[in-house]
Structure formats: C-alpha cells, structure tokens
Amino acid sequence: MALHVIVGAGPVGSATARLLAEAGERVRLLSRRGGGPEHAGIERVAADATADLDRHAEGAVALYSCAGPAYHRWPAEWPPLGASLVSAAEATGAVLVTTGNLYGYGQVDVPMTEDLPLRPNSVKGQVRASLWAAQRAAHEAGVIRTAEVRGSDYLGAGALSPFSALVLAKVVTGRRASIPADLDAPHSWTYVGDVAETLIAVAADPSAWGRPWHVPTAPPMSVRALATRTAELAAVSGVRLTKMPGFALRLAGLLNPTAREMLEVQYQFQRPFVLDSSAAEDAFGIKPTPTDDALREML
C-alpha cells in the first residue's frame, strides 16, 4: 500500500481520504485538530502543516493540499503553508497536488478554461496566483512535481459557500433568504466529491503534472434556479429569495470578517461565472456529479 498524505480535514480533504482508503491505499490525514473520517485505512494526525510537514510526509507518493486558512487570513497564512508544501514535496519526492480555485483569473467575460492567463483583481486572487506561480516554477526547475486542481463554489456534504451559508437552510425551512448576487446570472457549482476524484486522478498520472486542471463540473445554474431546485427536492412550496443590497453586505462586514472579505470578490456573483471543465472530463473520464445528487447530499 502506498502512503498518501493529505493536509486539511475539511470537506475536500475528508472526501479525498475516504476515496483513497476505500481503494485500499494508506492515508495520513493532517489537520490542526486531528479530525477527519474514521476509517481503518486513515491515520488522523493533529499537526501544524507549516512546522514539520517534511517528517509527516516522509515516504509518501503523493501530497494533497486540501487545507484553507480562515478567509480573512489568506494573505498572512497561505504563503508559509504554501512554502511548507513545496518544501515537503522537494524533501520527499511526493507529487504535490493542490486544491485551487478560480480567483486567480480575475473578472473575465468568457467561460474559464485552464489556458486563461492569471490576472487577479483581488487580494485573495493575488494570493492564489502567487502560490501556483511558486509551485509551477519549482516544477519547471525540476525541484518538485506538482499540479493544481481548480473548482468553483462547492456543493456537497459540509461544503461552505455563499449559497450554503445564506440560502440553503432558509429555503428548506420556508423562510426568506437574501444573498448578495444577481439571482439569475449563470454560475458554476462544483461537487466536493468530484474535487476529490480529480485530485486523485491527477496525482496518479505523470502526464497531468505541471499544469492546472478544472474539476469536472455540472452545467451552470443561477442562484434562483439552484434555490428553486433545492426547495423541490426538500418538498417545500415556493421560494422566497431576494438580492441583498450592497450596503447590507458592507454593514455586515463591519462585524463579520468573512462578510468583509466577500466584498472584493462580488464580481463572481454579480455576473456570469462559468467554469469549463471539458479538458479534465476528456483526460480522466470523470463525469460531473449531477447537481441534484449534490443537493440531496446537502439536504
């Protein structure tokens, strides 16, 4: 059994650990609290991934970055974590596969493909773009082997997104929901389990290294369509959904750091935000999980 080391026990890290363990692989799952799914093939370890990752990753064939600092701490906490991941990949020879997102592209007017240049228009986008630039430079220099797997806002068990935080619970209980978004703009939603499957496929395929990949993702749906379908699956009559005015988000940001950080990436929800995942679908034969299945899992 090969050793796979996963950093981060959130929805993506836990899903990746389960898939690997169920396939008979040996998994070491690192998180600050030592959490994650219980499985005979999963060793859960409480550790600071910025401090001693080289030792924890010794002997691993693959290292998966599935962690994420608090939203408002990205500029301070992502760089040391990213440096530690690269260091561990260099020291151990494990391929480093990172869970990324679409922030680095910035605001674009076309469906996002992997060959789009990274032109971030936000601080968080600059952080993500810089992390990938450092990993790719190390890969091209022959120091490490790496790839990045990018998805859009998540659906699935444990997934946290503006939709899950602001809309889901209210819709299924018949209450009015409000979200700072164009309710009818097409938006891509990525299933957490598909992120895990893509991470594992990329790690296992040397021809996939050295570049980014988009997670196979179902066709886009607007926030209104997603809320309506959620209500239908939950057997709830009617959806009361309104657009949250900008000033309300700014007011919330005075007290809530997560709300404050949402301001600079509002473009993602105020206009079409569509991911093209055809390259990964063709390369790995992964079919996107239907949105209905992802919603049922959340319900």
Side-chain angles (χ1 to χ4, degrees):
M1 292 185 294
L3 173 64
H4 298 254
V5 174
I6 301 170
V7 177
V12 172
S14 293
T16 304
R18 279 192 295 267
L19 284 177
L20 286 166
E22 289 167 2
E25 301 291 348
R26 180 182 166 209
V27 179
R28 182 173 295 148
L29 180 58
L30 307 181
S31 66
R32 289 187 181 275
R33 299 181 180 179
E38 294 186 4
H39 189 286
I42 300 174
E43 175 191 4
R44 297 178 298 175
V45 179
D48 179 354
T50 65
D52 199 16
L53 187 55
D54 291 11
R55 178 173 64 85
H56 290 298
E58 185 176 353
V61 297
L63 177 60
Y64 304 84
S65 171
C66 302
Y71 210 40
H72 64 292
R73 297 290 300 166
W74 279 23
E77 296 184 3
W78 256 124
L81 178 55
S84 179
L85 289 160
V86 170
S87 173
E90 180 180 4
T92 64
V95 58
L96 170 61
V97 185
T98 299
T99 309
N101 58 32
L102 308 176
Y103 288 26
Y105 297 124
Q107 182 173 309
V108 298
D109 296 318
V110 295
M112 288 166 279
T113 56
E114 293 93 335
D115 57 0
L116 278 179
L118 295 182
R119 293 173 179 166
N121 62 333
S122 65
V123 172
K124 287 182 286 298
Q126 291 168 0
V127 169
R128 294 299 324 193
S130 295
L131 289 168
W132 172 239
Q135 288 176 215
R136 188 167 190 170
H139 176 93
E140 292 175 348
V143 175
I144 67 171
R145 301 167 299 163
T146 192
E148 183 165 83
V149 171
R150 299 170 182 164
S152 190
D153 293 275
Y154 291 159
L155 297 178
L160 180 61
S161 71
F163 178 81
S164 64
L166 300 174
V167 178
L168 182 71
K170 292 183 177 179
V171 164
V172 299
T173 54
R175 293 176 291 162
R176 182 180 300 278
S178 179
I179 183 171
D182 178 337
L183 302 181
D184 298 303
H187 193 96
S188 289
W189 309 90
T190 299
Y191 174 57
V192 167
D194 292 338
V195 182
E197 188 174 354
T198 308
L199 287 168
I200 294 168
V202 169
D205 185 355
S207 69
W209 303 344
R211 56 160 291 176
W213 295 92
H214 288 173
V215 179
T217 296
M221 292 182 71
S222 69
V223 171
R224 191 190 308 277
L226 195 65
T228 300
R229 188 60 185 145
T230 300
E232 292 170 350
L233 292 172
V236 174
S237 298
V239 171
R240 294 187 294 166
L241 182 65
T242 60
K243 178 176 181 177
M244 181 186 296
F247 75 84
L249 182 61
R250 289 191 292 273
L251 286 175
L254 296 176
L255 299 175
N256 185 311
T258 299
R260 183 165 60 248
E261 292 299 318
M262 287 179 64
L263 289 168
E264 71 166 5
V265 292
Q266 268 291 282
Y267 70 90
Q268 297 179 9
F269 281 90
Q270 299 297 342
R271 55 192 298 117
F273 192 74
V274 177
L275 172 154
D276 182 326
S277 60
S278 56
E281 292 177 46
D282 292 342
F284 308 115
I286 299 173
K287 300 301 180 185
T289 296
T291 300
D292 275 11
D293 292 351
L295 289 172
R296 288 190 184 97
E297 188 174 290
M298 298 176 81
L299 292 171

